[in-house]
């Protein structure tokens, strides 16, 4: 045993990803006295500008957006009681197929070895017991999420560390429930075309393949407030329109796929730190 605190490191692509994907576990484990480290890989400059102006539209200034999103990220971390925030500050690559994918300095075009070396240095410094990031498809195919996955897994190979490693996911039953709630709040949402519907059906995992179900209901209010801190991003407004109670019902459990483990803890498990305490 050592005096080093148990440590969770979450590696995310953009400001606000920490709230939507892992806000519950960040808040829960901070409350349990575990050190929480957030690594945000990009500056979020391809997000919405003031008034909802979109990238490429007149008046969208990526540098100004990045500055605003950094302020929102810091506010979110305060809400979630994140112990340490580390930013790699690569340029936001935008959605797959956007010209910004190949812009100089974009995260997507950064060599994996370069990003992994920087992340490995942070891993050696913090020595996380648990690392959380995305799966190979970045959960839904976003280039920066895919790149975050790649550099995380490569960084782990560069170190001698053996943390438990998890990829964020959603149960297919939860995706169905989410779709029902979207239609409840937006009755005019058109039915997706067959190709889009098929792609959506592949997001997440069948319930029986998920290894880890963490109850974060008690911290859903913090998660809601952390998401609200990213108020410049229009896509977050839907979640906030639900109100705290409905938000907690939908987002009160966070689910993961355990992909590396040296503890032998049985699955399914209800704690990222099972076998470590």
């Amino acid at each position: 045993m050592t005096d080093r605190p148990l440590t969770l490191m979450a590696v995310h692509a953009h400001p606000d990803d920490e709230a939507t994907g892992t806000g519950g576990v960040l808040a829960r484990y901070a409350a349990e006295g575990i050190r929480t480290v957030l690594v945000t890989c990009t500056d979020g400059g391809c997000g919405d500008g003031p008034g909802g102006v979109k990238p490429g539209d007149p008046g969208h200034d990526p540098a100004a957006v990045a500055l605003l999103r950094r302020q929102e990220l810091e506010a979110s971390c305060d809400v979630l009681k994140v112990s340490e925030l580390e930013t790699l500050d690569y340029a936001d690559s935008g959605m797959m197929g956007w010209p910004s994918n190949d812009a100089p300095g974009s995260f997507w075009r950064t060599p994996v070895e370069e990003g992994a070396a920087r992340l490995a240095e942070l891993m050696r410094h913090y020595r996380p017991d648990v690392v959380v990031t995305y799966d190979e498809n970045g959960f839904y195919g976003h280039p920066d999420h895919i790149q975050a996955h790649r550099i995380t897994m490569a960084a782990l190979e560069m170190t001698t560390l053996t943390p438990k490693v998890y990829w964020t996911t959603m149960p297919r039953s939860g995706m169905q429930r989410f779709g029902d709630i979207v239609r409840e709040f937006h009755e005019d949402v058109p039915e997706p075309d067959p190709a889009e519907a098929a792609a959506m059906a592949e997001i997440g995992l069948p319930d029986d393949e998920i290894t880890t179900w963490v109850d974060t209901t008690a911290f859903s209010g913090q998660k809601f407030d952390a998401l609200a801190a990213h108020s410049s991003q229009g896509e977050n407004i839907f979640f906030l329109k639900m109100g705290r109670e409905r938000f907690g019902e939908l987002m009160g459990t966070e689910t993961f796929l355990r992909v590396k483990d040296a503890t032998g803890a049985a699955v399914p498990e209800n704690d990222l730190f099972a076998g470590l305490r």
Side-chain angles (χ1 to χ4, degrees), residues 207-226:
D207 292 31
D208 61 359
E209 293 182 19
I210 291 174
T211 62
T212 312
W213 304 70
V214 183
D215 182 2
T216 61
T217 305
F219 303 93
S220 59
Q222 279 176 262
K223 183 171 179 173
F224 184 91
D225 290 342

Side-chain angles (χ1 to χ4, degrees), residues 176-244:
Q176 174 68 45
R177 189 164 67 254
F178 179 75
D180 293 341
I181 291 176
V182 169
R183 284 184 285 275
E184 176 186 336
F185 279 84
H186 298 279
E187 296 179 357
D188 58 344
V189 172
E191 289 294 324
D193 63 47
E196 184 180 345
M200 288 293 293
E202 293 301 312
I203 292 177
L205 289 173
D207 292 31
D208 61 359
E209 293 182 19
I210 291 174
T211 62
T212 312
W213 304 70
V214 183
D215 182 2
T216 61
T217 305
F219 303 93
S220 59
Q222 279 176 262
K223 183 171 179 173
F224 184 91
D225 290 342
L227 195 60
H230 297 281
S231 58
S232 70
Q233 301 309 297
E235 68 267 20
N236 296 330
I237 302 303
F238 163 72
F239 291 103
L240 303 178
K241 280 184 176 178
M242 292 183 195
R244 290 175 179 273

Side-chain angles (χ1 to χ4, degrees), residues 19-167:
T20 53
T22 55
V25 293
L26 287 170
R28 170 179 164 168
Y29 290 122
E32 293 178 7
I34 288 171
R35 179 172 62 173
T36 54
V37 180
L38 171 63
V39 181
T40 301
C41 296
T42 80
D43 61 10
C46 285
D48 293 349
V53 62
K54 302 296 182 183
D57 289 348
H60 187 277
D61 179 353
V65 171
L67 177 61
L68 174 59
R69 298 197 72 184
R70 173 57 185 258
Q71 295 167 346
E72 293 177 337
L73 176 62
E74 292 172 352
S76 172
C77 286
D78 285 345
V79 169
L80 298 173
K81 308 302 182 187
V82 169
S83 308
E84 305 287 346
L85 170 63
E86 299 282 355
T87 55
L88 301 185
D89 287 327
Y90 289 107
D92 189 340
S93 308
M95 299 299 286
M96 190 67 81
W98 287 12
S100 51
N101 292 174
D102 296 316
S106 77
F107 191 36
W108 182 240
R109 70 175 292 179
T110 297
V112 169
E113 296 77 11
E114 176 190 320
R118 294 180 62 194
L119 183 57
E121 184 177 350
L122 293 174
M123 289 179 173
R124 294 186 192 101
H125 175 72
Y126 290 109
R127 303 187 66 80
D129 301 281
V130 171
V131 173
V132 175
T133 191
Y134 314 101
D135 62 18
E136 305 101 316
N137 192 46
F139 185 62
Y140 68 100
H142 193 296
D144 287 331
H145 290 227
I146 294 170
Q147 189 76 329
H149 162 86
R150 291 173 176 171
I151 74 162
T152 301
M153 303 311 290
L156 288 163
E157 293 296 321
M158 293 178 178
T159 74
T160 59
L161 304 173
T162 57
K164 297 178 79 175
V165 180
Y166 294 88
W167 297 341

